């Protein structure tokens, strides 16, 4: 029994030494203690949508907002939406990290394309922003679309 | 309710994996038997929706679960002896928790709990998943096929839709089971791999050293991150390590069923990440060396077949056939190959970057903590101590070397396999191998024996 107590003490000391190593202390605080504290709050808010918003942030909420602008009388499946780069939105005071088309589709079920894609010229809808508000514009004129693509090209694609 | 469903799925996985072990007549200690059954069961589960897809069977909830149940029970047609073995082992097993195990077990359980909760609570995050396996799984549940409307989306920004369907299939199963974010299967892999490692470490080491090493292993920051965020690399590391474990078992006992299992597990690792096939190729010299010493050509041919054929088959199915003949978009893997293979500078550069940036210096503490340093200390102690390096530990050391050289080699062959993402995550495979080297280290075994002797002395 005495040996067992000594070994328990040794075990505790070794673990404590490991946890308190300079590189580990912060990791344990952030990842284990921090996540444990998160759990104490999260266990009472299990709503799926809340969890998505918490995890994916504005990338998800703004994408959903764009999808909600889509008129109900149009067929969503035939739509291809051109989305300008994130920097375009930043300049217009909208914090939006534009997800790539596959992720946008995962979030919303709406098909999108980027200005550097060969698909861009096939877009029939387009997102614009002004003074912090978003607009979904129907593209009926090919020239307007190509002009817009060229205009959006001055915003660098950084993702 | 969700907890009950998760447990039921685990039980079904355990049944499937148990069946595979019994078919191979591999009967192990309960710790190994149960953990390995679940892990193999996860692999079996991941194959079922894929095979249904290959046969163009609609992936409805009924078809998926009926197939899973049928496969799990069909695999158990020869499990009577295994069941008796497990029953007797459990009957004779006396669970004794020593007081000194409590601190490390408490910490391990806390780390596991936090990981499981976060894995369950949050939706999948990595872009590699949400733009590939996850979005395909989400729409597979809606459209009952893995070849779905995702392939009509502009996919010019990603190639993640071409990754093998291991993750997609598991996500489909768990989404159907009522987990909107899937992903909780990863916690099963994490928990049962930890149990497997704990049992393996306990075989020769004292429990106090086992506990400490396991805490150090779980606390590898990058590795821990991927226990709560589903992606390919953690599962790939698990199955690669299990394959090496049974290969080394085969070297020790010469039983063919161990190398067959090793080959099957390597196939699963290849199914998770296709480039594992290259690593399997690098393991080959060890098999060659083993038989060359015994001058037994027929055994060599047999071992090569057992070890390689499953990986080659799964590669052909999940990459060559599935991508070229099933998926609607084109993917030329040969176009990704380095065209200047004569210039080895890129390989040396990658090897140097891996060592200098990730393994021994640079950002090593942020990504992999102190684990590599602990391994190096134990290795040095073994190297300077007489008779510390035994055959098993040398085999594990070779496995560590394969990853150390193999991951930069993959980066050399496929320039898209970049340093800061693919290589960094690919290196996760090295840590369980380092841990199991330490489980067989003469230095640590000798300390363990001294502690055990001292413990018994009073």
């Amino acid at each position: 029994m005495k040996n067992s107590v000594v070994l328990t003490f040794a075990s505790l000391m070794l673990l404590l030494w490991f946890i308190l190593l300079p590189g580990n202390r912060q990791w344990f605080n952030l990842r284990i203690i921090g996540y444990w504290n998160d759990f104490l709050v999260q266990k009472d808010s299990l709503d799926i949508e809340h969890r998505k918003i918490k995890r994916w942030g504005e990338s998800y909420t703004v994408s959903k907002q764009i999808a909600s602008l889509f008129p109900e009388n149009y067929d969503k499946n035939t739509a291809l939406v051109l989305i300008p780069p994130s920097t375009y939105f930043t300049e217009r005071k909208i914090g939006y990290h534009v997800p790539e088309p596959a992720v946008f589709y995962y979030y919303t079920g709406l098909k999108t394309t980027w200005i550097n894609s060969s698909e861009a010229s096939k877009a029939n809808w387009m997102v614009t922003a002004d003074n912090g508000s978003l607009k979904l514009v129907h593209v009926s004129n090919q020239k307007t679309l190509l002009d817009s693509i060229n205009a959006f090209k001055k915003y660098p694609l950084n993702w | 309710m969700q907890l009950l469903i998760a447990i039921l799925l685990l039980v079904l996985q355990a049944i499937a994996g148990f069946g595979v072990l019994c078919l191979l007549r591999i009967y192990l200690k309960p710790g190994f038997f149960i953990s390995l059954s679940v892990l193999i069961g996860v692999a079996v589960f991941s194959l079922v929706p894929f095979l249904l897809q290959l046969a163009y069977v609609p992936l409805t909830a009924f078809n998926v679960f009926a197939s899973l149940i049928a496969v799990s029970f069909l695999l158990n047609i020869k499990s009577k002896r295994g069941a008796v073995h497990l029953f007797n082992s459990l009957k004779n097993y006396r669970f004794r928790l020593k007081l000194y195990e409590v601190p490390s077990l408490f910490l391990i359980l806390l780390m596991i709990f936090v990981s499981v909760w976060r894995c369950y609570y949050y939706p999948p995050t990595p872009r590699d998943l949400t733009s590939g396996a996850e979005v395909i799984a989400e729409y597979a549940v809606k459209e009952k096929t893995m070849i779905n409307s995702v392939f009509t989306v502009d996919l010019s920004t990603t190639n993640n839709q071409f990754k093998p369907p291991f993750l997609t299939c598991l996500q489909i199963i768990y989404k159907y089971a009522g987990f909107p974010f899937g992903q909780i299967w990863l916690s099963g892999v994490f928990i049962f791999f930890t149990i497997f490692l704990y049992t393996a470490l306990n075989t020769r080491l004292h429990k106090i050293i086992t506990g400490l090493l396991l805490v150090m292993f779980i606390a590898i920051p990058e590795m821990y991150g991927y226990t709560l965020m589903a992606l390919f690399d953690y599962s790939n590391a698990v199955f690669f390590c299990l394959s090496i474990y049974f290969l080394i078992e085969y070297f020790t006992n010469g039983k063919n069923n161990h190398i067959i299992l090793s080959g099957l597990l390597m196939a699963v690792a290849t199914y998770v990440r296709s480039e594992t096939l290259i690593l399997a190729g690098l393991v080959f010299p060890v098999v060659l060396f083993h038989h060359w010493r015994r001058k037994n050509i027929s055994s060599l041919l047999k071992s090569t077949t057992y070890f390689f054929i499953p990986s080659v088959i799964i590669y052909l199915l999940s990459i060559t056939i599935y991508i070229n003949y099933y998926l609607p978009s084109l993917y030329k893997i040969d176009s990704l190959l380095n065209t200047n293979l004569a210039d080895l500078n890129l390989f040396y550069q990658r090897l140097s970057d891996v060592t200098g940036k990730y393994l021994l210096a640079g950002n090593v503490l942020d990504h992999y903590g102190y684990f590599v340093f602990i391994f190096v200390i134990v290795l040095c102690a073994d190297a300077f101590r007489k008779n510390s390096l035994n055959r098993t530990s040398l085999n594990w050391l070779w496995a560590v070397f394969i990853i150390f050289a193999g991951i930069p080699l993959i980066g050399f062959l496929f320039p898209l396999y970049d340093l800061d993402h693919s290589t960094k995550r690919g290196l996760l495979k090295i840590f369980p191998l380092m841990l199991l080297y330490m489980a067989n280290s003469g230095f640590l075994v000798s300390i363990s024996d001294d502690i055990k002797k001292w413990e018994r002395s009073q």
Side-chain angles (χ1 to χ4, degrees):
Chain A
M1 184 64 192
K2 190 180 148 199
N3 286 2
S4 193
V5 173
V6 172
L7 285 172
T8 308
F9 182 72
S11 171
L12 266 171
M13 288 298 109
L14 284 167
L15 289 170
L16 212 60
W17 161 78
F18 179 70
I19 291 171
L20 293 178
L21 283 174
N24 285 348
R25 191 188 305 202
Q26 196 192 9
W27 185 81
F28 270 93
N29 270 334
L30 278 173
R31 297 286 180 256
I32 307 301
I33 309 300
Y35 286 178
W36 170 260
N37 290 334
D38 286 351
F39 159 72
L40 296 176
V41 179
Q42 288 165 348
K43 67 181 171 50
D44 297 320
S45 43
L46 293 173
D47 175 61
I48 299 287
E49 205 54 26
H50 168 78
R51 284 147 73 180
K52 287 182 178 175
I53 292 168
K54 274 276 177 193
R55 193 57 168 171
W56 294 327
E58 36 71 28
S59 187
Y60 174 70
T61 49
V62 179
S63 299
K64 289 291 271 189
Q65 201 185 327
I66 290 170
S68 71
L69 296 173
F70 200 80
E72 278 177 18
N73 51 342
Y74 277 92
D75 182 9
K76 220 176 172 182
N77 294 323
T78 60
L80 181 63
V81 184
L82 176 74
I83 304 209
S86 304
T87 42
Y88 167 87
F89 292 100
T90 314
E91 197 184 272
R92 280 155 181 77
K93 298 181 177 54
I94 298 173
Y96 179 37
H97 177 80
V98 180
E100 60 189 302
V103 180
F104 198 101
Y105 190 61
Y106 172 55
Y107 288 167
T108 66
L110 197 61
K111 288 170 195 166
T112 57
T113 185
W114 282 6
I115 51 163
N116 60 337
S117 167
S118 58
E119 301 279 301
S121 58
K122 295 177 194 162
N124 47 12
W125 292 84
M126 183 167 69
V127 176
T128 60
D130 198 18
N131 283 333
S133 70
L134 293 161
K135 268 189 203 157
L136 187 64
V137 185
H138 189 241
V139 182
S140 47
N141 183 318
Q142 185 71 8
K143 188 177 176 302
T144 315
L145 176 67
L146 294 177
D147 288 347
S148 303
I149 292 171
N150 283 330
F152 290 149
K153 276 187 179 163
K154 72 172 184 180
Y155 299 97
L157 272 166
N158 49 351
W159 60 295
Chain B
M1 186 62 184
Q2 281 192 320
L3 183 65
L4 186 69
I5 293 170
I7 293 170
L8 280 175
L9 283 171
L10 270 180
V11 170
L12 200 60
Q13 280 160 2
I15 292 171
F18 181 78
V20 173
L21 288 173
C22 291
L23 281 175
L24 292 171
R25 293 184 191 152
I26 293 177
Y27 309 116
L28 305 157
K29 286 197 291 187
F32 283 125
F33 218 164
I34 294 168
S35 58
L36 208 58
S37 293
V38 174
L39 292 169
I40 294 174
V42 171
V44 171
F45 268 41
S46 74
L47 280 165
V48 170
F50 177 50
L51 295 176
L52 290 177
Q53 181 64 61
L54 287 182
Y56 291 110
V57 176
L59 297 177
T60 59
F62 176 80
N63 286 348
V64 169
F65 285 109
S67 308
L68 289 173
I69 293 167
V71 167
S72 301
F73 286 97
L74 278 174
L75 284 169
N76 279 280
I77 46 171
K78 285 192 174 176
S79 294
K80 195 178 163 191
R81 199 175 141 198
V84 172
H85 171 86
L86 183 63
F87 179 75
N88 287 335
S89 307
L90 287 173
K91 206 169 73 178
N92 299 327
Y93 184 74
R94 280 200 296 161
F95 180 75
R96 273 180 300 181
L97 187 68
K98 297 272 172 80
L99 186 62
Y100 50 75
E101 282 181 90
V102 175
S104 52
L105 282 182
F106 172 77
L107 198 53
I108 289 167
L109 287 175
L110 178 67
M111 288 196 281
I112 287 178
F113 177 81
V114 161
S115 161
V116 172
W117 172 260
R118 218 166 168 88
C119 186
Y120 162 78
Y121 188 78
Y122 279 128
T125 318
R127 175 238 163 209
D128 280 11
L129 189 63
T130 51
S131 66
E134 171 63 3
V135 63
I136 295 172
E138 185 74 17
Y139 283 89
V141 169
K142 288 176 186 159
E143 299 169 25
K144 317 299 172 206
T145 170
M146 276 156 59
I147 304 155
N148 51 46
S149 60
V150 172
F151 290 91
T152 63
V153 174
D154 176 6
L155 297 173
S156 55
T157 54
T158 177
N159 63 358
N160 289 317
Q161 70 276 23
F162 299 116
K163 300 263 170 74
F166 169 83
L167 241 107
T168 311
C169 293
L170 289 169
Q171 287 294 93
I172 291 171
I173 293 168
Y174 278 78
K175 278 172 192 282
Y176 270 138
F179 297 93
F181 305 144
Q183 170 162 270
I184 196 73
W185 54 268
L186 178 63
S187 297
V189 173
F190 176 39
I191 293 169
F192 287 92
F193 187 53
T194 304
I195 294 172
F196 179 88
L197 290 175
Y198 192 78
T199 316
L201 287 165
N202 263 343
T203 308
R204 298 188 70 188
L205 300 181
H206 188 273
K207 284 180 174 172
I208 200 170
I209 297 178
T210 293
L212 186 63
L213 284 178
L214 206 56
V215 167
M216 289 171 172
F217 173 75
I218 297 174
I220 296 171
E222 198 78 22
M223 194 102 190
Y224 186 75
Y226 288 103
T227 67
L228 49 96
M229 243 178 355
L231 209 59
F232 304 91
D233 300 273
Y234 187 85
S235 308
N236 179 240
V238 168
F239 288 106
F240 185 83
C241 172
L242 294 176
S243 169
I244 299 294
Y245 180 88
F246 282 97
L247 185 66
I248 293 175
E249 285 288 294
Y250 166 72
F251 290 154
T252 313
N253 59 31
K255 289 180 182 168
N256 277 339
N257 50 2
H258 281 113
I259 198 168
I260 293 173
L261 181 59
S262 171
L264 291 175
L265 290 164
M266 189 60 84
V268 178
T270 306
Y271 179 47
V272 183
R273 278 208 80 114
S274 53
E275 69 271 12
T276 309
L277 194 61
I278 296 170
L279 299 175
L282 294 178
V283 176
F284 180 66
V286 195
V287 181
L288 197 70
F289 183 67
H290 176 78
H291 290 286
W292 174 74
R293 285 194 318 179
R294 284 159 183 76
K295 306 207 180 339
N296 192 339
I297 298 296
S298 71
S299 283
L300 171 68
L301 289 174
K302 238 193 258 177
S303 300
T304 308
T305 313
Y306 291 148
F307 188 71
F308 277 116
I309 295 298
S311 296
V312 173
I313 290 174
I314 203 83
Y315 182 88
L316 290 174
L317 267 181
S318 63
I319 300 291
T320 315
I321 294 177
Y322 185 61
I323 290 179
N324 292 329
Y325 299 99
Y326 284 79
L327 295 188
S329 38
L330 211 72
Y331 192 53
K332 289 185 176 165
I333 292 171
D334 48 348
S335 68
L336 306 175
L337 257 175
N338 179 3
T339 48
N340 189 10
L341 291 175
D343 179 9
L344 290 173
N345 277 330
L346 185 64
F347 172 67
Y348 297 133
Q349 185 58 47
R350 186 55 68 88
L351 197 63
S352 149
D353 288 344
V354 162
T355 317
K357 195 172 172 187
Y358 285 118
L359 283 180
L360 289 174
N363 302 326
V364 59
L365 286 185
D366 291 342
H367 295 296
Y368 307 134
Y370 290 92
F371 196 76
V372 183
F373 300 116
I374 307 280
F375 166 75
V376 172
I377 291 168
V378 173
L379 180 61
C380 289
D382 278 341
F384 291 113
R385 201 172 160 275
K386 211 178 162 188
N387 299 329
S388 265
L389 289 166
N390 54 58
R391 195 176 292 169
T392 309
S393 65
L394 283 173
N395 278 326
W396 283 109
L397 199 56
W398 176 250
V400 169
F401 178 75
I402 285 169
I403 299 299
F404 176 67
I407 295 294
L409 179 71
I410 293 172
F412 167 67
L413 294 174
F414 299 97
L416 250 172
Y417 198 86
D418 66 341
L419 180 70
D420 292 332
H421 301 95
S422 308
T423 299
K424 186 187 74 179
R425 292 196 301 255
L427 281 173
L428 297 188
K429 281 185 276 292
I430 209 168
F431 302 113
L433 307 178
M434 286 178 171
L435 183 69
L436 289 174
Y437 166 80
M438 292 194 265
N440 293 284
S441 143
F443 171 66
L444 291 181
V445 169
S446 141
I447 293 179
S448 294
D449 290 344
D450 289 345
I451 299 174
K452 283 175 193 170
K453 231 180 268 171
W454 176 79
E455 196 184 349
R456 274 188 242 112
S457 68
Q458 285 187 359

